[in-house]
Amino acid sequence: MAPPGRRRATPQRRGPRAGRGGGGRSGRLRGGHLAPRRGGGPGAHHPAGHVRLGEAAKYGFIADPVVLSRLEARPDDAVAGDPELLADVVARGVAVKADLVGRDEREGGDRALLNYGHTVGHAIEAASGYDVYLHGEAVALGMVAAARLGERLGISEAGLAQRTVALLDALGLPTGGVRLDPAAVRAALGRDKKAVGGGEAGWRFVLCERPGRARIVEAPSPAAVDAAIASLTAPA
């Protein structure tokens, strides 16, 4: 019994625990759709581990398709942090990076392939003030845009964009339905440090021809670039 003159404290009710698929940071993204919400950006929806898986997938698109096969076969294990699976894909990614850097120490050629997904990804980060999307989330969106751009230009094999969306979605990364200003993203493209000049003529994209093979494309069609960026605001 509480002492005279003092009120008994009323127990506070706890809200539902944030679990898989919930609103907490441990919640997994569903449907690849992500929009900034009050109190936090997309990064608040899932842990950084999911974000790093997008970087691992990048190596599969540009040089080692086995990485994609491993992740596509066991996406839930990858998200759960299966040690054996992650050790395999990370080792393969490290080998790809070491090979590209070893052949091109000054980034005058093939080393630039490591920027796959980063051209639009960096522009999304800049246009959103660097406080809405985690780097890995922006790069995931950049890979989706790059795949769609490649298909529009006839450089990427048919179905690459769909495969990209399916894998990144399974890994809990954003693939579409996001809130962004396409015009602001477009403007940021020309300010990217990888650009080779000002304006549209300086745009430089890494595009995947097919899983395991990519190449650099300079000054692609502005209309095709605009369409690829705008597609990110629609459901994937």
Short mmCIF file of all heavy atoms in Angstrom, two decimals, residues 92-165:
data_model
loop_
_atom_site.label_atom_id
_atom_site.label_comp_id
_atom_site.label_asym_id
_atom_site.label_seq_id
_atom_site.Cartn_x
_atom_site.Cartn_y
_atom_site.Cartn_z
N ARG A 92 34.14 -13.17 -52.78
CA ARG A 92 34.06 -12.98 -54.23
C ARG A 92 34.07 -11.50 -54.58
O ARG A 92 34.69 -11.08 -55.57
CB ARG A 92 32.79 -13.66 -54.77
CG ARG A 92 32.88 -15.17 -54.80
CD ARG A 92 31.61 -15.82 -55.34
NE ARG A 92 31.78 -17.25 -55.49
CZ ARG A 92 32.33 -17.84 -56.56
NH1 ARG A 92 32.75 -17.10 -57.57
NH2 ARG A 92 32.45 -19.14 -56.62
N GLY A 93 33.38 -10.70 -53.79
CA GLY A 93 33.37 -9.26 -54.03
C GLY A 93 34.75 -8.65 -53.85
O GLY A 93 35.19 -7.81 -54.65
N VAL A 94 35.45 -9.08 -52.82
CA VAL A 94 36.81 -8.59 -52.57
C VAL A 94 37.73 -8.96 -53.73
O VAL A 94 38.57 -8.15 -54.16
CB VAL A 94 37.36 -9.16 -51.25
CG1 VAL A 94 38.85 -8.88 -51.11
CG2 VAL A 94 36.60 -8.57 -50.06
N ALA A 95 37.55 -10.17 -54.25
CA ALA A 95 38.38 -10.61 -55.38
C ALA A 95 38.13 -9.76 -56.62
O ALA A 95 39.06 -9.39 -57.34
CB ALA A 95 38.10 -12.09 -55.68
N VAL A 96 36.85 -9.44 -56.86
CA VAL A 96 36.51 -8.59 -58.02
C VAL A 96 37.14 -7.21 -57.87
O VAL A 96 37.77 -6.69 -58.80
CB VAL A 96 34.98 -8.46 -58.16
CG1 VAL A 96 34.64 -7.37 -59.18
CG2 VAL A 96 34.37 -9.78 -58.58
N LYS A 97 36.99 -6.63 -56.68
CA LYS A 97 37.53 -5.29 -56.46
C LYS A 97 39.05 -5.28 -56.58
O LYS A 97 39.63 -4.37 -57.20
CB LYS A 97 37.11 -4.78 -55.08
CG LYS A 97 37.54 -3.35 -54.81
CD LYS A 97 36.94 -2.82 -53.52
CE LYS A 97 37.29 -1.35 -53.32
NZ LYS A 97 36.66 -0.80 -52.09
N ALA A 98 39.70 -6.29 -56.01
CA ALA A 98 41.16 -6.36 -56.07
C ALA A 98 41.63 -6.47 -57.52
O ALA A 98 42.63 -5.85 -57.92
CB ALA A 98 41.66 -7.55 -55.26
N ASP A 99 40.92 -7.24 -58.32
CA ASP A 99 41.29 -7.41 -59.72
C ASP A 99 41.15 -6.10 -60.49
O ASP A 99 42.05 -5.70 -61.23
CB ASP A 99 40.41 -8.48 -60.36
CG ASP A 99 40.69 -8.65 -61.85
OD1 ASP A 99 41.85 -8.95 -62.20
OD2 ASP A 99 39.76 -8.47 -62.65
N LEU A 100 40.02 -5.41 -60.30
CA LEU A 100 39.79 -4.16 -61.03
C LEU A 100 40.76 -3.07 -60.60
O LEU A 100 41.30 -2.34 -61.44
CB LEU A 100 38.34 -3.69 -60.81
CG LEU A 100 37.25 -4.57 -61.44
CD1 LEU A 100 35.87 -4.05 -61.05
CD2 LEU A 100 37.39 -4.59 -62.96
N VAL A 101 40.99 -2.96 -59.30
CA VAL A 101 41.92 -1.94 -58.80
C VAL A 101 43.34 -2.26 -59.23
O VAL A 101 44.12 -1.37 -59.59
CB VAL A 101 41.83 -1.84 -57.26
CG1 VAL A 101 42.92 -0.92 -56.72
CG2 VAL A 101 40.46 -1.31 -56.85
N GLY A 102 43.70 -3.54 -59.20
CA GLY A 102 45.04 -3.94 -59.60
C GLY A 102 45.34 -3.64 -61.06
O GLY A 102 46.47 -3.32 -61.43
N ARG A 103 44.30 -3.73 -61.90
CA ARG A 103 44.48 -3.47 -63.32
C ARG A 103 44.37 -1.99 -63.67
O ARG A 103 44.74 -1.57 -64.77
CB ARG A 103 43.44 -4.25 -64.14
CG ARG A 103 43.70 -5.74 -64.15
CD ARG A 103 42.84 -6.46 -65.16
NE ARG A 103 41.48 -6.73 -64.69
CZ ARG A 103 40.40 -6.23 -65.26
NH1 ARG A 103 40.49 -5.40 -66.27
NH2 ARG A 103 39.20 -6.55 -64.80
N ASP A 104 43.83 -1.20 -62.74
CA ASP A 104 43.57 0.21 -63.05
C ASP A 104 43.69 1.03 -61.77
O ASP A 104 42.69 1.46 -61.19
CB ASP A 104 42.17 0.34 -63.66
CG ASP A 104 41.81 1.77 -64.02
OD1 ASP A 104 42.72 2.60 -64.18
OD2 ASP A 104 40.60 2.05 -64.14
N GLU A 105 44.90 1.26 -61.31
CA GLU A 105 45.12 1.92 -60.03
C GLU A 105 44.66 3.37 -60.00
O GLU A 105 44.35 3.91 -58.94
CB GLU A 105 46.60 1.84 -59.66
CG GLU A 105 47.09 0.41 -59.41
CD GLU A 105 48.53 0.36 -58.97
OE1 GLU A 105 49.16 1.44 -58.87
OE2 GLU A 105 49.03 -0.75 -58.71
N ARG A 106 44.60 4.04 -61.15
CA ARG A 106 44.23 5.45 -61.18
C ARG A 106 42.81 5.70 -61.69
O ARG A 106 42.44 6.82 -61.98
CB ARG A 106 45.23 6.22 -62.04
CG ARG A 106 46.65 6.19 -61.49
CD ARG A 106 47.57 7.09 -62.27
NE ARG A 106 48.92 7.09 -61.70
CZ ARG A 106 49.93 7.82 -62.17
NH1 ARG A 106 49.73 8.60 -63.24
NH2 ARG A 106 51.12 7.77 -61.60
N GLU A 107 42.03 4.65 -61.79
CA GLU A 107 40.63 4.75 -62.20
C GLU A 107 40.48 5.43 -63.57
O GLU A 107 39.63 6.29 -63.78
CB GLU A 107 39.81 5.51 -61.15
CG GLU A 107 38.31 5.25 -61.27
CD GLU A 107 37.52 5.78 -60.09
OE1 GLU A 107 38.12 6.01 -59.03
OE2 GLU A 107 36.30 5.96 -60.24
N GLY A 108 41.31 5.01 -64.49
CA GLY A 108 41.19 5.54 -65.84
C GLY A 108 40.45 4.61 -66.77
O GLY A 108 40.21 4.93 -67.93
N GLY A 109 40.09 3.42 -66.26
CA GLY A 109 39.43 2.44 -67.11
C GLY A 109 38.46 1.56 -66.34
O GLY A 109 37.48 2.04 -65.78
N ASP A 110 38.80 0.26 -66.26
CA ASP A 110 37.87 -0.71 -65.68
C ASP A 110 37.54 -0.49 -64.21
O ASP A 110 36.49 -0.92 -63.73
CB ASP A 110 38.44 -2.13 -65.84
CG ASP A 110 38.36 -2.62 -67.28
OD1 ASP A 110 37.70 -1.94 -68.09
OD2 ASP A 110 38.96 -3.66 -67.58
N ARG A 111 38.41 0.17 -63.48
CA ARG A 111 38.13 0.41 -62.06
C ARG A 111 36.83 1.20 -61.88
O ARG A 111 36.14 1.06 -60.87
CB ARG A 111 39.29 1.16 -61.41
CG ARG A 111 39.10 1.38 -59.92
CD ARG A 111 40.33 2.03 -59.31
NE ARG A 111 40.18 2.30 -57.90
CZ ARG A 111 41.14 2.81 -57.13
NH1 ARG A 111 42.32 3.09 -57.66
NH2 ARG A 111 40.92 3.03 -55.85
N ALA A 112 36.49 2.01 -62.86
CA ALA A 112 35.27 2.81 -62.78
C ALA A 112 34.02 1.94 -62.74
O ALA A 112 32.95 2.40 -62.34
CB ALA A 112 35.20 3.77 -63.97
N LEU A 113 34.14 0.66 -63.12
CA LEU A 113 32.99 -0.24 -63.07
C LEU A 113 32.47 -0.41 -61.64
O LEU A 113 31.31 -0.76 -61.43
CB LEU A 113 33.35 -1.60 -63.66
CG LEU A 113 33.77 -1.62 -65.14
CD1 LEU A 113 34.14 -3.04 -65.56
CD2 LEU A 113 32.66 -1.06 -66.02
N LEU A 114 33.34 -0.14 -60.66
CA LEU A 114 32.94 -0.24 -59.26
C LEU A 114 31.88 0.80 -58.90
O LEU A 114 31.27 0.73 -57.84
CB LEU A 114 34.16 -0.08 -58.35
CG LEU A 114 35.22 -1.19 -58.44
CD1 LEU A 114 36.46 -0.79 -57.64
CD2 LEU A 114 34.66 -2.51 -57.92
N ASN A 115 31.68 1.77 -59.79
CA ASN A 115 30.70 2.82 -59.53
C ASN A 115 29.30 2.44 -60.01
O ASN A 115 28.40 3.29 -60.05
CB ASN A 115 31.13 4.12 -60.22
CG ASN A 115 32.41 4.68 -59.64
OD1 ASN A 115 32.62 4.65 -58.44
ND2 ASN A 115 33.29 5.18 -60.50
N TYR A 116 29.09 1.18 -60.35
CA TYR A 116 27.76 0.75 -60.81
C TYR A 116 26.71 1.11 -59.76
O TYR A 116 26.84 0.78 -58.58
CB TYR A 116 27.75 -0.75 -61.06
CG TYR A 116 26.44 -1.26 -61.64
CD1 TYR A 116 25.98 -0.79 -62.87
CD2 TYR A 116 25.66 -2.19 -60.97
CE1 TYR A 116 24.79 -1.25 -63.42
CE2 TYR A 116 24.47 -2.66 -61.50
CZ TYR A 116 24.04 -2.18 -62.72
OH TYR A 116 22.85 -2.63 -63.26
N GLY A 117 25.67 1.82 -60.20
CA GLY A 117 24.60 2.23 -59.30
C GLY A 117 24.89 3.51 -58.54
O GLY A 117 24.00 4.10 -57.93
N HIS A 118 26.15 3.97 -58.59
CA HIS A 118 26.54 5.13 -57.80
C HIS A 118 26.24 6.47 -58.47
O HIS A 118 26.13 7.48 -57.78
CB HIS A 118 28.03 5.06 -57.46
CG HIS A 118 28.35 4.04 -56.41
ND1 HIS A 118 28.15 2.69 -56.61
CD2 HIS A 118 28.85 4.17 -55.15
CE1 HIS A 118 28.52 2.03 -55.52
NE2 HIS A 118 28.94 2.90 -54.63
N THR A 119 26.12 6.50 -59.79
CA THR A 119 25.88 7.78 -60.46
C THR A 119 24.54 8.36 -60.02
O THR A 119 24.47 9.48 -59.51
CB THR A 119 25.91 7.60 -61.99
OG1 THR A 119 27.18 7.06 -62.38
CG2 THR A 119 25.71 8.94 -62.69
N VAL A 120 23.47 7.60 -60.19
CA VAL A 120 22.16 8.06 -59.73
C VAL A 120 22.10 8.00 -58.20
O VAL A 120 21.48 8.85 -57.57
CB VAL A 120 21.04 7.21 -60.35
CG1 VAL A 120 19.69 7.53 -59.70
CG2 VAL A 120 20.95 7.48 -61.85
N GLY A 121 22.77 7.02 -57.60
CA GLY A 121 22.76 6.91 -56.14
C GLY A 121 23.31 8.15 -55.47
O GLY A 121 22.71 8.69 -54.53
N HIS A 122 24.46 8.63 -55.94
CA HIS A 122 25.05 9.84 -55.37
C HIS A 122 24.13 11.04 -55.60
O HIS A 122 24.00 11.92 -54.74
CB HIS A 122 26.41 10.12 -56.01
CG HIS A 122 27.49 9.20 -55.55
ND1 HIS A 122 28.67 9.01 -56.24
CD2 HIS A 122 27.58 8.41 -54.45
CE1 HIS A 122 29.43 8.15 -55.59
NE2 HIS A 122 28.79 7.77 -54.50
N ALA A 123 23.50 11.09 -56.77
CA ALA A 123 22.60 12.21 -57.08
C ALA A 123 21.39 12.20 -56.16
O ALA A 123 20.91 13.26 -55.72
CB ALA A 123 22.16 12.14 -58.54
N ILE A 124 20.87 11.02 -55.84
CA ILE A 124 19.73 10.91 -54.92
C ILE A 124 20.14 11.40 -53.53
O ILE A 124 19.40 12.13 -52.88
CB ILE A 124 19.23 9.45 -54.85
CG1 ILE A 124 18.53 9.08 -56.17
CG2 ILE A 124 18.29 9.25 -53.67
CD1 ILE A 124 18.12 7.63 -56.26
N GLU A 125 21.32 11.00 -53.09
CA GLU A 125 21.81 11.45 -51.78
C GLU A 125 21.92 12.97 -51.74
O GLU A 125 21.50 13.62 -50.78
CB GLU A 125 23.17 10.82 -51.48
CG GLU A 125 23.13 9.34 -51.18
CD GLU A 125 24.51 8.79 -50.88
OE1 GLU A 125 25.32 8.68 -51.83
OE2 GLU A 125 24.79 8.49 -49.71
N ALA A 126 22.52 13.54 -52.78
CA ALA A 126 22.73 14.99 -52.82
C ALA A 126 21.40 15.73 -52.88
O ALA A 126 21.19 16.73 -52.18
CB ALA A 126 23.59 15.36 -54.03
N ALA A 127 20.48 15.24 -53.72
CA ALA A 127 19.19 15.91 -53.89
C ALA A 127 18.34 15.85 -52.63
O ALA A 127 17.48 16.71 -52.41
CB ALA A 127 18.43 15.28 -55.06
N SER A 128 18.58 14.85 -51.79
CA SER A 128 17.79 14.69 -50.56
C SER A 128 18.52 15.22 -49.33
O SER A 128 18.07 15.02 -48.20
CB SER A 128 17.42 13.22 -50.35
OG SER A 128 18.57 12.41 -50.27
N GLY A 129 19.65 15.89 -49.55
CA GLY A 129 20.36 16.51 -48.43
C GLY A 129 21.15 15.55 -47.57
O GLY A 129 21.53 15.89 -46.45
N TYR A 130 21.40 14.36 -48.05
CA TYR A 130 22.20 13.35 -47.34
C TYR A 130 21.61 12.93 -45.99
O TYR A 130 22.33 12.36 -45.16
CB TYR A 130 23.63 13.87 -47.12
CG TYR A 130 24.38 14.12 -48.40
CD1 TYR A 130 24.44 15.40 -48.94
CD2 TYR A 130 25.00 13.09 -49.09
CE1 TYR A 130 25.11 15.64 -50.14
CE2 TYR A 130 25.68 13.32 -50.29
CZ TYR A 130 25.72 14.60 -50.81
OH TYR A 130 26.38 14.83 -51.99
N ASP A 131 20.34 13.18 -45.76
CA ASP A 131 19.77 12.80 -44.47
C ASP A 131 18.48 11.98 -44.60
O ASP A 131 17.74 11.81 -43.63
CB ASP A 131 19.51 14.04 -43.60
CG ASP A 131 18.52 15.00 -44.23
OD1 ASP A 131 18.06 14.74 -45.37
OD2 ASP A 131 18.19 16.02 -43.59
N VAL A 132 18.19 11.49 -45.80
CA VAL A 132 16.99 10.70 -46.01
C VAL A 132 17.32 9.24 -46.30
O VAL A 132 16.74 8.33 -45.73
CB VAL A 132 16.13 11.29 -47.15
CG1 VAL A 132 14.92 10.39 -47.44
CG2 VAL A 132 15.67 12.70 -46.81
N TYR A 133 18.29 9.03 -47.19
CA TYR A 133 18.64 7.68 -47.60
C TYR A 133 20.04 7.30 -47.13
O TYR A 133 20.97 8.09 -47.23
CB TYR A 133 18.59 7.55 -49.13
CG TYR A 133 17.25 7.87 -49.71
CD1 TYR A 133 16.96 9.15 -50.19
CD2 TYR A 133 16.24 6.91 -49.75
CE1 TYR A 133 15.71 9.46 -50.71
CE2 TYR A 133 14.99 7.21 -50.26
CZ TYR A 133 14.73 8.48 -50.73
OH TYR A 133 13.49 8.79 -51.23
N LEU A 134 20.17 6.09 -46.62
CA LEU A 134 21.49 5.56 -46.35
C LEU A 134 22.19 5.36 -47.70
O LEU A 134 21.54 5.18 -48.73
CB LEU A 134 21.40 4.21 -45.63
CG LEU A 134 20.79 4.23 -44.22
CD1 LEU A 134 20.68 2.81 -43.69
CD2 LEU A 134 21.64 5.08 -43.28
N HIS A 135 23.51 5.38 -47.69
CA HIS A 135 24.26 5.26 -48.94
C HIS A 135 23.86 3.99 -49.71
O HIS A 135 23.62 4.03 -50.92
CB HIS A 135 25.76 5.24 -48.65
CG HIS A 135 26.61 5.04 -49.86
ND1 HIS A 135 26.72 5.98 -50.87
CD2 HIS A 135 27.38 3.98 -50.25
CE1 HIS A 135 27.52 5.53 -51.82
NE2 HIS A 135 27.93 4.32 -51.47
N GLY A 136 23.77 2.89 -49.01
CA GLY A 136 23.43 1.63 -49.67
C GLY A 136 22.03 1.63 -50.26
O GLY A 136 21.78 0.99 -51.29
N GLU A 137 21.11 2.34 -49.62
CA GLU A 137 19.75 2.45 -50.16
C GLU A 137 19.75 3.25 -51.45
O GLU A 137 19.10 2.89 -52.43
CB GLU A 137 18.84 3.12 -49.13
CG GLU A 137 18.60 2.28 -47.90
CD GLU A 137 17.86 3.03 -46.80
OE1 GLU A 137 17.96 4.27 -46.75
OE2 GLU A 137 17.20 2.37 -45.99
N ALA A 138 20.50 4.36 -51.45
CA ALA A 138 20.58 5.20 -52.64
C ALA A 138 21.23 4.43 -53.79
O ALA A 138 20.80 4.53 -54.94
CB ALA A 138 21.36 6.47 -52.33
N VAL A 139 22.26 3.65 -53.49
CA VAL A 139 22.94 2.88 -54.53
C VAL A 139 22.02 1.78 -55.07
O VAL A 139 22.04 1.48 -56.27
CB VAL A 139 24.26 2.28 -53.99
CG1 VAL A 139 24.85 1.29 -54.99
CG2 VAL A 139 25.26 3.40 -53.72
N ALA A 140 21.22 1.18 -54.20
CA ALA A 140 20.26 0.16 -54.66
C ALA A 140 19.30 0.78 -55.67
O ALA A 140 19.03 0.21 -56.74
CB ALA A 140 19.48 -0.41 -53.48
N LEU A 141 18.79 1.96 -55.36
CA LEU A 141 17.91 2.67 -56.30
C LEU A 141 18.68 3.01 -57.57
O LEU A 141 18.14 2.95 -58.68
CB LEU A 141 17.37 3.94 -55.65
CG LEU A 141 16.37 3.72 -54.51
CD1 LEU A 141 16.14 5.02 -53.74
CD2 LEU A 141 15.04 3.19 -55.05
N GLY A 142 19.96 3.36 -57.41
CA GLY A 142 20.78 3.68 -58.57
C GLY A 142 20.98 2.48 -59.49
O GLY A 142 21.01 2.62 -60.71
N MET A 143 21.08 1.29 -58.91
CA MET A 143 21.23 0.08 -59.74
C MET A 143 19.95 -0.21 -60.51
O MET A 143 19.99 -0.66 -61.66
CB MET A 143 21.64 -1.11 -58.87
CG MET A 143 23.08 -1.06 -58.40
SD MET A 143 23.69 -2.62 -57.70
CE MET A 143 22.87 -2.61 -56.10
N VAL A 144 18.81 0.03 -59.87
CA VAL A 144 17.53 -0.16 -60.57
C VAL A 144 17.44 0.82 -61.74
O VAL A 144 17.08 0.44 -62.86
CB VAL A 144 16.34 0.05 -59.61
CG1 VAL A 144 15.02 0.03 -60.39
CG2 VAL A 144 16.33 -1.02 -58.53
N ALA A 145 17.80 2.08 -61.48
CA ALA A 145 17.77 3.09 -62.55
C ALA A 145 18.74 2.73 -63.67
O ALA A 145 18.42 2.88 -64.86
CB ALA A 145 18.10 4.47 -61.97
N ALA A 146 19.93 2.25 -63.31
CA ALA A 146 20.93 1.89 -64.32
C ALA A 146 20.45 0.73 -65.18
O ALA A 146 20.65 0.72 -66.40
CB ALA A 146 22.25 1.53 -63.63
N ALA A 147 19.80 -0.25 -64.56
CA ALA A 147 19.29 -1.39 -65.32
C ALA A 147 18.20 -0.96 -66.30
O ALA A 147 18.16 -1.40 -67.45
CB ALA A 147 18.77 -2.46 -64.37
N ARG A 148 17.33 -0.07 -65.85
CA ARG A 148 16.26 0.42 -66.73
C ARG A 148 16.82 1.29 -67.84
O ARG A 148 16.37 1.23 -68.99
CB ARG A 148 15.22 1.17 -65.90
CG ARG A 148 14.39 0.24 -65.03
CD ARG A 148 13.43 0.97 -64.13
NE ARG A 148 12.61 0.01 -63.38
CZ ARG A 148 11.99 0.28 -62.25
NH1 ARG A 148 12.09 1.50 -61.72
NH2 ARG A 148 11.27 -0.64 -61.64
N LEU A 149 17.83 2.10 -67.50
CA LEU A 149 18.48 2.92 -68.52
C LEU A 149 19.15 2.03 -69.56
O LEU A 149 19.03 2.27 -70.77
CB LEU A 149 19.51 3.84 -67.86
CG LEU A 149 20.37 4.68 -68.81
CD1 LEU A 149 19.51 5.61 -69.65
CD2 LEU A 149 21.41 5.48 -68.01
N GLY A 150 19.85 1.01 -69.09
CA GLY A 150 20.53 0.11 -70.01
C GLY A 150 19.57 -0.59 -70.96
O GLY A 150 19.86 -0.75 -72.15
N GLU A 151 18.42 -0.99 -70.44
CA GLU A 151 17.43 -1.64 -71.30
C GLU A 151 16.87 -0.66 -72.32
O GLU A 151 16.67 -1.00 -73.49
CB GLU A 151 16.30 -2.24 -70.46
CG GLU A 151 16.72 -3.49 -69.69
CD GLU A 151 15.54 -4.21 -69.07
OE1 GLU A 151 14.38 -3.92 -69.43
OE2 GLU A 151 15.76 -5.09 -68.21
N ARG A 152 16.63 0.57 -71.90
CA ARG A 152 16.10 1.59 -72.82
C ARG A 152 17.08 1.88 -73.95
O ARG A 152 16.68 2.17 -75.08
CB ARG A 152 15.78 2.88 -72.06
CG ARG A 152 14.51 2.83 -71.24
CD ARG A 152 14.26 4.14 -70.50
NE ARG A 152 12.98 4.12 -69.81
CZ ARG A 152 11.82 4.45 -70.35
NH1 ARG A 152 11.78 4.85 -71.62
NH2 ARG A 152 10.71 4.39 -69.66
N LEU A 153 18.37 1.83 -73.63
CA LEU A 153 19.39 2.13 -74.63
C LEU A 153 19.76 0.90 -75.47
O LEU A 153 20.57 1.01 -76.39
CB LEU A 153 20.64 2.67 -73.94
CG LEU A 153 20.49 4.00 -73.18
CD1 LEU A 153 21.80 4.37 -72.49
CD2 LEU A 153 20.05 5.11 -74.13
N GLY A 154 19.21 -0.25 -75.12
CA GLY A 154 19.53 -1.47 -75.86
C GLY A 154 20.89 -2.04 -75.49
O GLY A 154 21.44 -2.86 -76.23
N ILE A 155 21.43 -1.63 -74.35
CA ILE A 155 22.73 -2.11 -73.89
C ILE A 155 22.58 -3.30 -72.96
O ILE A 155 23.34 -4.27 -73.04
CB ILE A 155 23.50 -0.97 -73.19
CG1 ILE A 155 23.87 0.11 -74.21
CG2 ILE A 155 24.75 -1.50 -72.48
CD1 ILE A 155 24.48 1.35 -73.60
N SER A 156 21.61 -3.24 -72.08
CA SER A 156 21.38 -4.32 -71.12
C SER A 156 20.43 -5.35 -71.70
O SER A 156 19.52 -5.01 -72.46
CB SER A 156 20.78 -3.76 -69.82
OG SER A 156 21.64 -2.79 -69.25
N GLU A 157 20.64 -6.60 -71.33
CA GLU A 157 19.76 -7.65 -71.82
C GLU A 157 18.36 -7.47 -71.25
O GLU A 157 18.17 -6.94 -70.15
CB GLU A 157 20.30 -9.03 -71.43
CG GLU A 157 20.32 -9.32 -69.94
CD GLU A 157 20.83 -10.72 -69.64
OE1 GLU A 157 21.41 -11.35 -70.54
OE2 GLU A 157 20.66 -11.17 -68.49
N ALA A 158 17.37 -7.90 -72.01
CA ALA A 158 15.99 -7.79 -71.56
C ALA A 158 15.79 -8.57 -70.27
O ALA A 158 16.29 -9.69 -70.12
CB ALA A 158 15.05 -8.32 -72.65
N GLY A 159 15.07 -7.97 -69.34
CA GLY A 159 14.79 -8.64 -68.07
C GLY A 159 15.76 -8.30 -66.96
O GLY A 159 15.55 -8.69 -65.81
N LEU A 160 16.84 -7.56 -67.28
CA LEU A 160 17.82 -7.23 -66.25
C LEU A 160 17.20 -6.38 -65.14
O LEU A 160 17.45 -6.61 -63.96
CB LEU A 160 19.02 -6.49 -66.85
CG LEU A 160 20.08 -6.09 -65.82
CD1 LEU A 160 20.80 -7.32 -65.29
CD2 LEU A 160 21.09 -5.11 -66.43
N ALA A 161 16.39 -5.40 -65.53
CA ALA A 161 15.77 -4.53 -64.52
C ALA A 161 14.85 -5.32 -63.60
O ALA A 161 14.86 -5.14 -62.38
CB ALA A 161 15.00 -3.40 -65.20
N GLN A 162 14.08 -6.22 -64.18
CA GLN A 162 13.17 -7.04 -63.38
C GLN A 162 13.96 -7.92 -62.41
O GLN A 162 13.58 -8.08 -61.25
CB GLN A 162 12.30 -7.90 -64.29
CG GLN A 162 11.28 -8.76 -63.55
CD GLN A 162 10.40 -9.55 -64.50
OE1 GLN A 162 10.52 -9.45 -65.72
NE2 GLN A 162 9.49 -10.34 -63.94
N ARG A 163 15.06 -8.49 -62.89
CA ARG A 163 15.88 -9.34 -62.03
C ARG A 163 16.52 -8.51 -60.92
O ARG A 163 16.62 -8.96 -59.77
CB ARG A 163 16.97 -10.02 -62.87
CG ARG A 163 17.81 -11.01 -62.07
CD ARG A 163 18.81 -11.73 -62.96
NE ARG A 163 19.59 -12.71 -62.20
CZ ARG A 163 20.56 -13.46 -62.71
NH1 ARG A 163 20.87 -13.35 -64.01
NH2 ARG A 163 21.22 -14.32 -61.95
N THR A 164 16.93 -7.30 -61.25
CA THR A 164 17.53 -6.41 -60.25
C THR A 164 16.53 -6.08 -59.16
O THR A 164 16.84 -6.16 -57.96
CB THR A 164 18.02 -5.11 -60.93
OG1 THR A 164 18.98 -5.42 -61.94
CG2 THR A 164 18.65 -4.17 -59.91
N VAL A 165 15.33 -5.71 -59.56
CA VAL A 165 14.28 -5.37 -58.59
C VAL A 165 13.96 -6.57 -57.70
O VAL A 165 13.83 -6.44 -56.48
CB VAL A 165 13.01 -4.88 -59.32
CG1 VAL A 165 11.82 -4.81 -58.35
CG2 VAL A 165 13.25 -3.52 -59.95
#
